[in-house]
Amino acid sequence: MLGVEDLARSKKFYGEGLGCVADQDYPNFVRFDLGDGSSSLAIYEREAAAQDAGVSSEGSGYRGVSFHYIVESRETVDELVAQAAAAGGAVVKKPEASQWGGYFGYFSDPDGYLWKVASTS
């Protein structure tokens, strides 16, 4: 669950902007169905994770958590990062090839939560 500043703005960002379907919509709470797939939890050293995103590990740069969206292709990475920016998010790190052979970029939602979009191809 994300604590957001403006529920209507975030609902619009995730719903209309990123195409997530609201499966529960209450005055103070909205839950989105993120589609097929599964969720996972990763642990990563804070400094290393902040460096990966290209932001500071202190203050508002890196909040100690990022969400990862794994996709099938580089083109999909580019599309999702552009879609997030068009919906009111910000491109934090432009998609690029990585040293581990994948391709990834970061965007933030309107509240500054980081999302890493990555492809292993």
Side-chain angles (χ1 to χ4, degrees), residues 32-51:
F32 291 99
D33 177 2
L34 299 179
D36 296 335
S38 65
S39 298
S40 62
L41 172 66
I43 56 174
Y44 200 23
E45 290 180 343
R46 186 178 178 92
E47 286 292 331
Q51 183 179 7

Side-chain angles (χ1 to χ4, degrees), residues 17-72:
L18 296 184
C20 300
V21 177
D23 62 3
Q24 289 186 351
D25 190 350
Y26 299 103
N28 296 316
F29 174 81
V30 178
R31 187 176 80 183
F32 291 99
D33 177 2
L34 299 179
D36 296 335
S38 65
S39 298
S40 62
L41 172 66
I43 56 174
Y44 200 23
E45 290 180 343
R46 186 178 178 92
E47 286 292 331
Q51 183 179 7
D52 189 48
V55 298
S56 170
S57 65
E58 298 180 22
S60 63
Y62 185 69
R63 299 175 177 205
V65 65
S66 63
F67 300 94
H68 293 207
Y69 195 145
I70 309 303
V71 298
E72 295 293 322

Side-chain angles (χ1 to χ4, degrees), residues 4 20 39 65 83 93 115:
V4 299
C20 300
S39 298
V65 65
Q83 186 178 355
K93 185 174 186 178
W115 284 83

